[in-house]
Amino acid sequence: MNITKEQIDDLNAVVKVAISKEDYQDKVEKILKDYRKQANIPGFRKGQVPMGLIKKQYGKAVLVDEVNKLLQDNLNKYLTEEKLDVLGNPLPKQQDNFDWDKDNLDFEFELGLAPSFDVNLKTKKAVTQYKIVADKKMIEEQVERIQKQYGKLISKTEVGKKDEITGFFANEEEEIDHKTTLEMDKIKSKKAIDALVGKKVGDSVTLNTKGLFKEDYLLSSALGIARDKAEDLKIDVTFTIEEINEREPAALDQELFDKLFGEGKVTSEKELKDKIKEDSEKQFEQQSDQKLLNDITEKLIDETKFELPAEFLKKWIQISGENPLTADEAKEEFEKSEQGLRYQLIEGKIIQENELQVQFDELKEFAKGFIKSQMAQYGHMDPKEEELESVAARVMSNQDEVKRLSEQLMSQKLLDLYKEKANLKVKEVSYDDFIKEAYS
């Protein structure tokens, strides 16, 4: 067998594979002999079928199968040994009237080659790195939410402007019949507030759903309907009151602090606010980091210029899927995936040049950190090491989970690298300003 490469240009090449009869003959003969031993053909005893008949019936199929195996194995080996960085897979060139009866068989494959380029993390224009701070207003609101959440309910006889009302929403035509608890301070409609204030248990009021709540998403849960159905819903609903309560805020005392953070870890209102600020800003950092990663990705794609073997890739997309595409469909698919492919190449270059790797031990520690944070969300704040080890072992035995965690860890490594080497400008903002500025 002989394999040679013809370079068409920097991004395209043709590999020629010449297979001689000696490369496949022994293997084909052995398989046909095995077929002969097992063949059951009327008129012949088992194992006594003439080899000529076996070759006539099975010879071409066996030959094609064995030659294709030879091609696949040796072509992959050649690409690896020659260190050819290809995009997609080699595409066999169409050969009209190919003669499988010849002793020597010649094949040609088109290659799309990865471009050569440099990546400069010091982009021309600096990328904004947002530092989100929890301001005084946000902290005070969080303290109020905590006091409300851990406060106690005091039964009342009539509705006031800050009360919680439990009752049923109903609308026969829309098939709404749902029990819910309304918080008066979350109602936006002045007409609805006026209708509810002063009402007693057993009273019913008619409310219009348009602009009922300060936050639109509350309507679907209040009515017990899908969110898409609740959007732009403008109907009258009847609300029948079953229970009225005033929520007395919890005192900011040691009992509450211990309940929230564990015994003795927070001992004053100031420490509570400091802890809220610290925890909030840690959560904000995840959002600002994701924004930074996205922005640097876009900037690198924009500023790292290189050509792709576009025509080859369109042809490969056209025939490589489960169902073949038309030329126009393949072109559209290429255009949709081009940016992603460009970043894959850029990211691969960055990972290679900076020797970023995911080692098993650090992946396991990363998994344990992820598990610990998940447990904390369910109130399990201090899991034992053996518990983390046990859960991590189960996670690491799942290949899909390992892949997902590896990708997350590599993203973290890239983010750390960008923070160290990229052209960044730090901007301190409140959370509200971050949302307005980053996602407007």
Side-chain angles (χ1 to χ4, degrees):
M1 180 181 296
N2 184 39
I3 302 180
T4 57
K5 177 171 72 76
E6 178 188 347
Q7 194 76 27
I8 306 301
D9 55 39
D10 289 343
L11 299 174
N12 295 276
V14 172
V15 168
K16 298 180 179 181
V17 183
I19 297 180
S20 65
K21 190 173 183 178
E22 289 76 19
D23 295 319
Y24 60 80
Q25 187 174 23
D26 289 348
K27 185 71 173 173
V28 170
E29 291 290 341
K30 181 179 182 305
I31 292 172
L32 291 175
K33 284 177 183 176
D34 290 339
Y35 275 24
R36 186 185 183 214
K37 291 176 187 176
Q38 303 299 325
N40 284 309
I41 296 178
F44 299 97
R45 283 186 298 162
K46 187 176 180 179
Q48 299 300 313
V49 180
M51 181 56 81
L53 187 57
I54 293 292
K55 285 184 177 181
K56 184 177 180 181
Q57 191 161 348
Y58 301 109
K60 183 65 66 67
V62 172
L63 170 65
V64 171
D65 190 45
E66 286 307 308
V67 168
N68 280 328
K69 286 179 185 175
L70 271 174
L71 281 171
Q72 185 174 337
D73 292 345
N74 286 278
L75 188 55
N76 289 337
K77 184 180 176 184
Y78 175 81
L79 296 177
T80 302
E81 289 176 349
E82 295 295 315
K83 298 179 180 178
L84 293 176
D85 192 0
V86 300
L87 301 180
N89 291 315
L91 290 179
K93 290 189 75 172
Q94 187 68 37
Q95 298 183 62
D96 296 329
N97 303 317
F98 187 84
D99 186 2
W100 284 97
D101 293 323
K102 290 169 60 178
D103 288 346
N104 298 319
L105 304 171
D106 295 318
F107 301 89
E108 294 186 357
F109 295 86
E110 296 178 60
L111 301 183
L113 304 177
S116 176
F117 59 91
D118 295 317
V119 180
N120 186 3
L121 294 180
K122 295 287 185 184
T123 52
K124 296 172 189 174
K125 188 176 179 182
V127 177
T128 301
Q129 180 183 3
Y130 290 97
K131 178 176 172 53
I132 309 171
V133 294
D135 55 24
K136 185 177 179 181
K137 178 173 176 279
M138 174 178 280
I139 294 168
E140 292 294 346
E141 287 174 350
Q142 183 65 14
V143 171
E144 285 180 19
R145 277 196 290 271
I146 290 170
Q147 287 184 278
K148 191 174 181 181
Q149 181 182 348
Y150 288 90
K152 63 180 180 180
L153 294 175
I154 300 171
S155 181
K156 291 185 64 180
T157 56
E158 61 180 53
V159 177
K161 287 190 175 181
K162 293 188 176 180
D163 293 339
E164 296 179 12
I165 322 161
T166 300
F168 276 89
F169 272 115
N171 179 293
E172 188 173 344
E173 186 178 337
E174 296 291 336
E175 298 182 341
I176 294 170
D177 183 16
H178 187 67
K179 185 174 183 177
T180 191
T181 297
L182 296 180
E183 296 179 45
M184 287 293 289
D185 59 4
K186 291 184 179 178
I187 294 176
K188 177 182 179 182
S189 168
K190 185 177 184 303
K191 191 174 180 180
I193 293 170
D194 292 341
L196 287 164
V197 170
K199 292 296 185 292
K200 298 185 169 93
V201 172
D203 288 345
S204 295
V205 295
T206 298
L207 306 174
N208 192 276
T209 58
K210 183 184 178 183
L212 182 58
F213 294 103
K214 293 176 180 176
E215 301 290 344
D216 291 339
Y217 73 89
L218 293 171
L219 183 62
S220 62
S221 59
L223 300 182
I225 60 176
R227 186 171 290 190
D228 58 350
K229 184 179 177 181
E231 287 179 7
D232 301 319
L233 189 66
K234 301 172 186 176
I235 60 169
D236 287 334
V237 287
T238 301
F239 183 72
T240 302
I241 300 170
E242 284 196 338
E243 188 179 336
I244 306 167
N245 293 296
E246 176 186 2
R247 190 174 286 273
E248 183 180 279
L252 296 175
D253 56 18
Q254 196 60 47
E255 182 182 352
L256 178 63
F257 302 153
D258 290 348
K259 193 180 291 184
L260 290 170
F261 303 107
E263 190 173 346
K265 291 187 177 178
V266 169
T267 59
S268 67
E269 185 176 338
K270 181 182 182 305
E271 287 182 12
L272 169 67
K273 290 179 178 178
D274 289 344
K275 180 67 173 164
I276 290 171
K277 181 178 174 67
E278 178 189 342
D279 290 348
S280 297
E281 290 179 355
K282 194 174 291 184
Q283 290 181 345
F284 297 154
E285 189 176 352
Q286 294 176 1
Q287 286 181 264
S288 65
D289 280 352
Q290 187 58 56
K291 173 67 175 165
L292 178 63
L293 199 58
N294 293 343
D295 288 348
I296 289 179
T297 296
E298 289 183 13
K299 186 65 69 177
L300 288 172
I301 291 172
D302 184 55
E303 293 193 7
T304 308
K305 306 296 185 185
F306 53 82
E307 296 296 321
L308 290 170
E311 293 309 311
F312 169 85
L313 289 170
K314 289 173 196 173
K315 193 186 298 185
W316 175 69
I317 289 170
Q318 187 175 358
I319 67 172
S320 63
E322 191 173 324
N323 298 309
L325 304 177
T326 66
D328 287 342
E329 287 172 336
K331 179 184 176 187
E332 184 180 348
E333 195 63 32
F334 170 73
E335 288 169 353
K336 283 195 289 188
S337 60
E338 183 180 358
Q339 294 294 81
L341 174 58
R342 286 183 178 278
Y343 186 65
Q344 281 181 25
L345 292 169
I346 292 168
E347 186 183 82
K349 184 92 167 176
I350 293 169
I351 290 170
Q352 180 187 26
E353 289 182 347
N354 293 276
E355 298 180 346
L356 301 181
Q357 296 179 346
V358 172
Q359 305 289 350
F360 179 81
D361 288 344
E362 62 179 346
L363 183 61
K364 185 178 176 184
E365 288 304 310
F366 184 75
K368 284 160 66 176
F370 178 76
I371 293 161
K372 194 172 182 179
S373 68
Q374 291 290 99
M375 288 181 167
Q377 290 181 20
Y378 293 96
H380 193 0
M381 305 302 292
D382 193 23
K384 290 184 170 56
E385 180 63 22
E386 54 266 30
E387 188 177 2
L388 289 173
E389 284 282 344
S390 174
V391 178
R394 289 201 301 274
V395 170
M396 298 292 281
S397 67
N398 184 317
Q399 288 303 309
D400 290 337
E401 284 296 308
V402 168
K403 182 176 182 237
R404 184 177 64 84
L405 288 169
S406 296
E407 289 170 353
Q408 289 181 358
L409 180 53
M410 182 54 74
S411 288
Q412 186 59 54
K413 286 175 174 282
L414 286 166
L415 184 64
D416 293 341
L417 178 72
Y418 296 156
K419 286 181 178 180
E420 178 189 348
K421 295 187 175 182
N423 183 13
L424 305 178
K425 60 177 180 182
V426 178
K427 184 172 185 179
E428 196 169 286
V429 292
S430 69
Y431 183 73
D432 287 342
D433 286 342
F434 170 74
I435 296 298
K436 289 176 188 172
E437 191 168 325
Y439 300 106
S440 59

